[in-house]
């Protein structure tokens, strides 16, 4: 059996056109567009490429976008003042501080300073709490888990009563996606297990999964024999395992590999996300969705 490919690149286009349509309608009716500020500290190449893509996507959707690049040696105090400025700026609905931050800045302090009602990343403890409660309490689901849930739902995989096994317990992916899948409601109602580096029999747990979500950051960790026949496999791993010359641009690009042995897994799974082109494109898409949602909250139409 060859698994159905769950393509993030295709799902992204559908969601972005839904957002674009809604942005136009809101602009006509209310005279406002979603406002997003991206704050990039320093010049980490991976961060630059993520932020560039975020800005490009926001512009394409007709958002009001502010690109606020700051030097790597900005003081914590100045960064806090910058966040306070955007917290008080009514044209801004979403504040994104690109991570990781330089070592001299306390990441927790910075993320906690963002107004929870503009925290479109969903990293503020208030939003983590809202997510835990679930239902209409949730304002901004974190972007990668939200993207994963959209992919599962839009590819028609049944989640109600399904055995979901999440490999990895990070605050950004593992813990929130596990929490989201066990909530009451559509696209959830699953029985969830989280496994991690100290789990005794990783293979046995994975083998039970109707939906296997892997976010461990270990290339090829999940072996094909750990996958249940017909399972839905979501591979969140984006591991740089080398470099190659791009056929398109002639430039050096990273060779990416997921946490799952894709070539063999696709012969067993019912559906599977590729790497690249799977979960990756969904994160920025959901950031745009959260920014639109933030504007809708402020207009009282969410
Ligand atoms: N760095 C890598 N991924 C992310 C993300 O989703 N949000 C932010 N703010 N920084 C990141």
């Amino acid at each position: 059996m060859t698994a159905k490919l769950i393509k993030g690149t295709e799902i992204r286009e559908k969601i972005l056109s839904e957002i674009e349509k809604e942005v136009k309608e809101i602009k006509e009716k209310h005279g406002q567009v979603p406002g997003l500020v991206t704050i990039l500290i320093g010049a980490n190449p991976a961060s630059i490429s993520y932020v560039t893509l975020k800005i490009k996507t926001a512009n394409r959707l007709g958002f009001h976008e502010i690109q606020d690049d700051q030097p790597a040696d900005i003081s914590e105090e100045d960064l806090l003042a910058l966040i306070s400025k955007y917290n008080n700026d009514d044209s801004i609905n979403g504040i994104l501080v690109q991570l990781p931050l330089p070592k001299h800045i306390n990441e927790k302090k910075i993320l906690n300073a963002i107004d929870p009602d503009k925290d479109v990343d969903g990293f503020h403890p208030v939003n983590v709490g809202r997510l835990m409660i679930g239902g209409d309490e949730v304002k901004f689901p974190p972007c990668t888990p939200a993207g994963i849930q959209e992919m599962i739902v839009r590819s028609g995989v049944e989640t109600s009563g399904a055995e979901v096994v999440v490999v990895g317990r990070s605050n950004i992916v593992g813990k929130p996606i596990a929490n989201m899948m066990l909530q009451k409601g559509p696209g959830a109602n699953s029985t969830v297990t989280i496994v991690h580096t100290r789990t005794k029999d990783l293979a046995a747990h994975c083998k039970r999964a109707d939906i296997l979500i892997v976010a461990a950051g270990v290339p090829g960790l999940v072996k094909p024999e750990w996958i249940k026949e017909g399972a839905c496999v979501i591979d969140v791993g984006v591991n740089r395992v080398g470099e190659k010359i791009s056929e398109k641009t002639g430039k050096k690009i990273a060779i990416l590999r997921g946490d799952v042995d894709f070539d063999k897994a696709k012969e067993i799974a019912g559906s599977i996300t590729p790497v690249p082109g799977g979960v990756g494109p969904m994160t920025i898409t959901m950031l745009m969705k959260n920014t639109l949602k933030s504007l809708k909250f402020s207009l009282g139409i969410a």
Side-chain angles (χ1 to χ4, degrees), residues 10 46 53 73 82 89 99 102 108 160 169 194 293:
E10 278 177 14
L53 210 50
D73 63 354
L82 200 63
D89 181 342
L99 304 177
K108 218 195 251 178
S160 183
R169 51 178 161 176
I194 307 182
K293 216 172 160 190

Side-chain angles (χ1 to χ4, degrees), residues 50 54 96-100 121 123 143-144 172 283:
Y50 284 133
K54 287 171 188 179
L96 180 127
V97 179
Q98 187 66 26
L99 304 177
D121 257 328
F123 292 165
C143 304
T144 302
I172 292 185
T283 301

